[in-house]
Amino acid sequence: MTQTTLAGPGHQPGKPDRADKPGSGDGLQAGLKNRHLSMIAIGGVIGAGLFVGSGAGIAAAGPAILLSYALVGLMVVFVMRMLGEMAAARPSSGSFSAYADQALGRWAGFSIGWLYWFFWVVVLAVEATAGAKILEGWVPGVPQWAWALIVMVVLTATNLVSVGSYGEFEFWFAGIKVVAIGAFVVVGLLAVFGLLPGSDNPGAGLAHLTDTGGFFPKGPGAILTGVLMVVFSFMGSEIVTLAAGESENPQRAVQKATNSVIWRIAVFYLGSIFIVLTLLPWNDASILKDGSYVAALNSIGIPHAGQVMDVIVLTAVLSCLNSGLYTASRMAFSLGGRGDAPKAFARTNKRGVPQAAILSSVVFGFVAVFFNYQWPDTVFQFLLNSSGAVALFVWLVICFTQLRMRGIILRESPEKLVVRMWLFPYLTWATIAMISFVLVYMLTDDSGRQQVLLSLLVAALVVAISLVREVRQRKSGAVTADASADA
């Protein structure tokens, strides 16, 4: 895979970027198989937030939460279509950050790359802590901090061995999530219509969607409240476009992932939440008390539902942690290759692994875990809030980048435009409007307002750093040119 860079110092149009070329001694290796990428694509949209946080969304919006998931899902489908268009034409380990660099300028690639890296290293701490809580419940003799350390060390070692070992772990982690949700949907549908032998559920059909205050028990405005609660559970669908750069056929992998995102969201998000809402009244106390999926399994009469869901949630947590470390390290690798991070980040060992990029990412993750245990309500809460809106910033940048990249690709390599955004540019602008509306609406919500404002503060700081760097580089280039002329 070669990446043609189009703008910025240090890049020469038409020349491959060695740091982004799998199979070379100085770059990433094409170690991911088709089955790895397929499962990364499928599992990428299933985070622990779906299992853990959906109960709060149901309580806030009632059955109308289905529309919240549908709206956000539609937004993600559009964003993934735009990203797929660019990634299929120019596969890169830096994905949207590299494309922003080319289409919008160095400042954009630098800023969104570092913000995305920051988002995922904070996620490492969140997921490590969540996994540690479950493991401590099973083996209370080992303290929670020790479990967090063990989980982080094991998955760091996995990522350090080779990209293939990351892919293999993710294949099985994602596989368990996919099988679990698929089984939940099938068994749940049978119970909903009274066809499941031995079920404790009365099989009320679709009655629970309207029998407790109607489909909009909290009013139509609750749909937007639900959007704020579910939007961040979709983060991760873009990971496959980074991983595709380390496969033998990145274009084909991106095409498959982009084309399948609609049914993945429909089945795993809308399908599973639909089952919960048809098995139980939306205001059933057990949905908040036990969690939506555990409550649904209990209503069917599945024994040890809580323990079963703990295993599935732990798998989702480990999957997210594994992918988070991979994603953060590959973004750091790409930034290093473009001169926007220490050069050591762009070096790989003989197995094609960017060791320095992985270790630097996990070190920050360890620091964040320490903050979570030492100052959970101050320092760590600041990290959470200041990275909270980054997902929406990333999606916005993807949209604006695609507006420019379409013309660049058509001009330089039109034959590579094998995935196209629908109704371009109208649907791209409509998606920008949708994401912007969500950001503005978050300002009306107490917790959302803090996330947006702190994330904007951090984003402004990173953009300022990037602009200062550009000014210094231009001055340095001018001085060098003058010195050469004088000589």
Side-chain angles (χ1 to χ4, degrees):
M1 178 273 295
T2 55
Q3 173 196 354
T4 305
T5 52
L6 303 173
H11 298 299
Q12 298 180 44
K15 287 193 72 176
D17 183 347
R18 287 176 69 197
D20 238 6
K21 186 178 180 184
S24 70
D26 299 319
L28 302 174
Q29 301 293 321
L32 291 175
K33 300 175 182 176
N34 286 335
R35 64 183 179 87
H36 294 153
L37 284 166
S38 296
M39 201 54 76
I40 290 168
I42 294 170
V45 292
I46 310 170
L50 174 63
F51 300 106
V52 179
S54 54
I58 291 171
I65 194 69
L66 283 170
L67 296 181
S68 303
Y69 274 103
L71 282 172
V72 178
L74 188 65
M75 199 160 64
V76 172
V77 167
F78 292 158
V79 170
M80 277 298 294
R81 188 75 187 182
M82 288 180 251
L83 184 55
E85 176 180 298
M86 297 182 287
R90 301 182 176 215
S92 168
S93 64
S95 189
F96 51 83
S97 172
Y99 310 140
D101 190 310
Q102 297 165 27
L104 304 178
R106 294 296 302 279
W107 68 271
F110 175 96
S111 302
I112 204 64
W114 276 114
L115 284 172
Y116 192 67
W117 178 87
F118 174 57
F119 172 85
W120 278 110
V121 292
V122 173
V123 167
L124 293 183
V126 174
E127 301 297 339
T129 304
K133 285 180 180 177
I134 295 173
L135 290 166
E136 186 189 30
W138 295 348
V139 188
V142 179
Q144 194 179 118
W145 66 265
W147 278 122
L149 180 66
I150 291 168
V151 166
M152 290 274 275
V153 167
V154 169
L155 292 179
T156 300
T158 300
N159 276 264
L160 284 172
V161 170
S162 70
V163 68
S165 64
Y166 154 72
E168 200 62 34
F169 266 72
E170 193 56 26
F171 175 81
W172 291 106
F173 286 154
I176 291 171
K177 290 188 292 184
V178 168
V179 169
I181 293 185
F184 176 79
V185 170
V186 172
V187 171
L189 276 175
L190 292 173
V192 164
F193 295 104
L195 302 175
L196 186 67
S199 172
D200 295 340
N201 193 280
L206 306 182
H208 288 321
L209 292 177
T210 55
D211 64 3
T212 314
F215 191 75
F216 300 98
K218 300 291 186 77
I223 296 171
L224 294 176
T225 304
V227 164
L228 300 188
M229 302 184 80
V230 307
V231 67
F232 300 108
S233 65
F234 282 84
M235 192 64 171
S237 52
E238 71 290 333
I239 290 175
V240 69
T241 64
L242 282 81
E246 292 178 79
S247 68
E248 291 291 349
N249 193 338
Q251 189 179 78
R252 180 171 173 270
V254 169
Q255 278 185 274
K256 285 182 64 177
T258 304
N259 292 333
S260 65
V261 70
I262 297 175
W263 71 261
R264 287 185 276 133
I265 288 174
V267 172
F268 299 127
Y269 279 86
L270 289 172
S272 61
I273 298 299
F274 173 81
I275 294 299
V276 172
L277 289 166
T278 47
L279 285 174
L280 293 163
W282 68 270
N283 59 353
D284 192 296
S286 64
I287 290 178
L288 274 179
K289 178 173 174 282
D290 302 324
S292 55
Y293 288 83
V294 172
L297 291 173
N298 282 332
S299 77
I300 296 173
I302 302 293
H304 310 294
Q307 292 92 324
V308 170
M309 194 50 60
D310 271 350
V311 173
I312 296 169
V313 171
L314 179 63
T315 303
V317 163
L318 294 177
S319 171
C320 192
L321 189 58
N322 192 38
S323 286
L325 182 53
Y326 171 83
T327 305
S329 66
R330 283 346 183 243
M331 187 57 73
F333 169 83
S334 180
L335 288 166
R338 287 179 272 144
D340 292 336
K343 290 181 180 178
F345 287 5
R347 297 195 191 108
T348 57
N349 59 23
K350 61 184 180 181
R351 296 185 302 277
V353 173
Q355 194 166 296
I358 291 173
L359 292 176
S360 62
S361 300
V362 84
V363 163
F364 194 96
F366 278 127
V367 171
V369 169
F370 172 75
F371 287 155
N372 193 15
Y373 287 112
Q374 194 67 28
W375 302 291
D377 300 322
T378 52
V379 178
F380 188 69
Q381 194 62 41
F382 170 80
L383 291 178
L384 279 179
N385 286 329
S386 60
S387 64
V390 166
L392 293 169
F393 296 167
V394 167
W395 294 347
L396 265 182
V397 167
I398 289 171
C399 294
F400 282 111
T401 301
Q402 191 260 342
L403 285 171
R404 297 287 303 277
M405 280 296 286
R406 168 67 73 92
I408 293 171
I409 296 168
L410 282 174
R411 209 166 44 244
E412 299 195 352
S413 47
E415 74 283 355
K416 293 184 178 179
L417 200 62
V418 293
V419 175
R420 289 175 180 258
M421 177 59 182
W422 307 294
L423 297 177
F424 176 83
Y426 309 109
L427 214 45
T428 300
W429 281 111
T431 308
I432 289 171
M434 290 168 67
I435 298 169
S436 301
F437 178 81
V438 172
L439 282 168
V440 172
Y441 190 76
M442 284 178 74
L443 293 172
T444 67
D445 178 76
D446 290 338
S447 61
R449 186 185 309 116
Q450 194 172 27
Q451 286 187 14
V452 171
L453 293 177
L454 285 176
S455 296
L456 281 172
L457 176 65
V458 172
L461 178 63
V462 176
V463 170
I465 292 171
S466 69
L467 293 175
V468 169
R469 286 178 77 253
E470 277 199 48
V471 170
R472 286 184 175 178
Q473 285 172 352
R474 284 174 188 164
K475 286 182 178 178
S476 175
V479 170
T480 303
D482 289 342
S484 299
D486 291 340

